[in-house]
mmCIF file of all heavy atoms in Angstrom:
data_model
loop_
_atom_site.group_PDB
_atom_site.id
_atom_site.type_symbol
_atom_site.label_atom_id
_atom_site.label_comp_id
_atom_site.label_asym_id
_atom_site.label_seq_id
_atom_site.Cartn_x
_atom_site.Cartn_y
_atom_site.Cartn_z
ATOM 1 N N GLY A 76 -4.874 -6.563 2.920
ATOM 2 C CA GLY A 76 -5.497 -6.597 1.592
ATOM 3 C C GLY A 76 -4.554 -5.993 0.558
ATOM 4 O O GLY A 76 -4.947 -5.181 -0.268
ATOM 5 N N PHE A 81 0.265 -3.525 -3.195
ATOM 6 C CA PHE A 81 0.126 -2.071 -3.038
ATOM 7 C C PHE A 81 -0.612 -1.721 -1.768
ATOM 8 O O PHE A 81 -1.703 -2.267 -1.536
ATOM 9 C CB PHE A 81 -0.636 -1.496 -4.242
ATOM 10 C CG PHE A 81 -0.009 -1.868 -5.550
ATOM 11 C CD1 PHE A 81 -0.737 -2.555 -6.513
ATOM 12 C CD2 PHE A 81 1.312 -1.566 -5.813
ATOM 13 C CE1 PHE A 81 -0.156 -2.906 -7.715
ATOM 14 C CE2 PHE A 81 1.901 -1.920 -7.015
ATOM 15 C CZ PHE A 81 1.158 -2.593 -7.973
ATOM 16 N N ASP A 99 -3.079 -10.960 2.520
ATOM 17 C CA ASP A 99 -4.201 -10.991 1.574
ATOM 18 C C ASP A 99 -4.911 -12.339 1.674
ATOM 19 O O ASP A 99 -4.304 -13.353 1.984
ATOM 20 C CB ASP A 99 -3.752 -10.739 0.123
ATOM 21 C CG ASP A 99 -4.900 -10.213 -0.714
ATOM 22 O OD1 ASP A 99 -5.752 -11.022 -1.153
ATOM 23 O OD2 ASP A 99 -5.001 -8.970 -0.899
ATOM 24 N N LYS A 104 -2.553 -14.237 -5.111
ATOM 25 C CA LYS A 104 -1.963 -12.898 -4.962
ATOM 26 C C LYS A 104 -0.776 -12.958 -3.998
ATOM 27 O O LYS A 104 0.243 -12.300 -4.208
ATOM 28 C CB LYS A 104 -3.013 -11.895 -4.470
ATOM 29 C CG LYS A 104 -4.121 -11.664 -5.486
ATOM 30 C CD LYS A 104 -5.111 -10.616 -5.004
ATOM 31 C CE LYS A 104 -6.211 -10.425 -6.039
ATOM 32 N NZ LYS A 104 -7.192 -9.417 -5.634
ATOM 33 N N ARG A 126 -7.275 -14.086 6.176
ATOM 34 C CA ARG A 126 -8.222 -12.976 6.308
ATOM 35 C C ARG A 126 -7.885 -12.222 7.587
ATOM 36 O O ARG A 126 -7.585 -12.840 8.616
ATOM 37 C CB ARG A 126 -9.664 -13.497 6.378
ATOM 38 C CG ARG A 126 -10.121 -14.219 5.119
ATOM 39 C CD ARG A 126 -11.624 -14.380 5.093
ATOM 40 N NE ARG A 126 -12.292 -13.090 4.961
ATOM 41 C CZ ARG A 126 -12.471 -12.432 3.816
ATOM 42 N NH1 ARG A 126 -12.060 -12.955 2.688
ATOM 43 N NH2 ARG A 126 -13.079 -11.267 3.785
ATOM 44 N N ALA A 127 -7.951 -10.901 7.525
ATOM 45 C CA ALA A 127 -7.570 -10.083 8.686
ATOM 46 C C ALA A 127 -8.407 -10.427 9.914
ATOM 47 O O ALA A 127 -7.907 -10.370 11.038
ATOM 48 C CB ALA A 127 -7.723 -8.604 8.333
ATOM 49 N N GLU A 128 -9.667 -10.801 9.710
ATOM 50 C CA GLU A 128 -10.555 -11.050 10.851
ATOM 51 C C GLU A 128 -10.418 -12.457 11.430
ATOM 52 O O GLU A 128 -10.975 -12.747 12.479
ATOM 53 C CB GLU A 128 -12.015 -10.784 10.465
ATOM 54 C CG GLU A 128 -12.590 -11.671 9.376
ATOM 55 C CD GLU A 128 -12.315 -11.131 7.964
ATOM 56 O OE1 GLU A 128 -11.221 -10.583 7.733
ATOM 57 O OE2 GLU A 128 -13.191 -11.293 7.110
ATOM 58 N N ARG A 145 -5.130 0.046 1.370
ATOM 59 C CA ARG A 145 -5.467 0.852 0.195
ATOM 60 C C ARG A 145 -6.614 0.143 -0.508
ATOM 61 O O ARG A 145 -6.500 -1.012 -0.913
ATOM 62 C CB ARG A 145 -4.267 0.975 -0.748
ATOM 63 C CG ARG A 145 -4.502 2.004 -1.853
ATOM 64 C CD ARG A 145 -3.367 2.067 -2.855
ATOM 65 N NE ARG A 145 -3.527 1.109 -3.900
ATOM 66 C CZ ARG A 145 -3.193 1.327 -5.181
ATOM 67 N NH1 ARG A 145 -2.681 2.474 -5.552
ATOM 68 N NH2 ARG A 145 -3.362 0.398 -6.070
ATOM 69 N N ALA A 146 -7.742 0.881 -0.619
ATOM 70 C CA ALA A 146 -8.887 0.379 -1.382
ATOM 71 C C ALA A 146 -9.379 -0.984 -0.918
ATOM 72 O O ALA A 146 -9.609 -1.879 -1.712
ATOM 73 C CB ALA A 146 -8.521 0.317 -2.861
HETATM 74 N N1 LIG B 301 -4.451 -2.890 -1.713
HETATM 75 C C1 LIG B 301 -4.413 -3.371 -3.068
HETATM 76 C C2 LIG B 301 -4.437 -2.203 -4.018
HETATM 77 O O1 LIG B 301 -4.691 -1.089 -3.585
HETATM 78 O O2 LIG B 301 -4.193 -2.409 -5.229
HETATM 79 C C3 LIG B 301 -5.570 -4.339 -3.379
HETATM 80 C C4 LIG B 301 -6.931 -3.725 -3.290
HETATM 81 S S1 LIG B 301 -8.178 -4.895 -3.716
HETATM 82 C C5 LIG B 301 -9.508 -3.854 -4.146
HETATM 83 C C6 LIG B 301 -8.658 -5.525 -2.117
HETATM 84 C C7 LIG B 301 -7.776 -6.684 -1.655
HETATM 85 O O3 LIG B 301 -8.090 -6.981 -0.314
HETATM 86 C C8 LIG B 301 -7.965 -7.949 -2.452
HETATM 87 O O4 LIG B 301 -6.728 -8.433 -2.893
HETATM 88 C C9 LIG B 301 -8.625 -8.907 -1.474
HETATM 89 O O5 LIG B 301 -8.234 -10.246 -1.706
HETATM 90 C C10 LIG B 301 -8.145 -8.373 -0.124
HETATM 91 N N2 LIG B 301 -9.037 -8.570 1.016
HETATM 92 C C11 LIG B 301 -10.353 -8.242 1.077
HETATM 93 N N3 LIG B 301 -10.844 -8.514 2.298
HETATM 94 C C12 LIG B 301 -9.810 -9.020 3.032
HETATM 95 C C13 LIG B 301 -9.693 -9.504 4.378
HETATM 96 N N4 LIG B 301 -10.736 -9.514 5.181
HETATM 97 N N5 LIG B 301 -8.479 -9.921 4.803
HETATM 98 C C14 LIG B 301 -7.403 -9.916 3.971
HETATM 99 N N6 LIG B 301 -7.475 -9.488 2.679
HETATM 100 C C15 LIG B 301 -8.655 -9.056 2.218
#
Side-chain angles (χ1 to χ4, degrees):
F81 306 122
D99 204 280
K104 294 183 181 180
R126 297 195 67 81
E128 63 273 37
R145 190 184 87 143

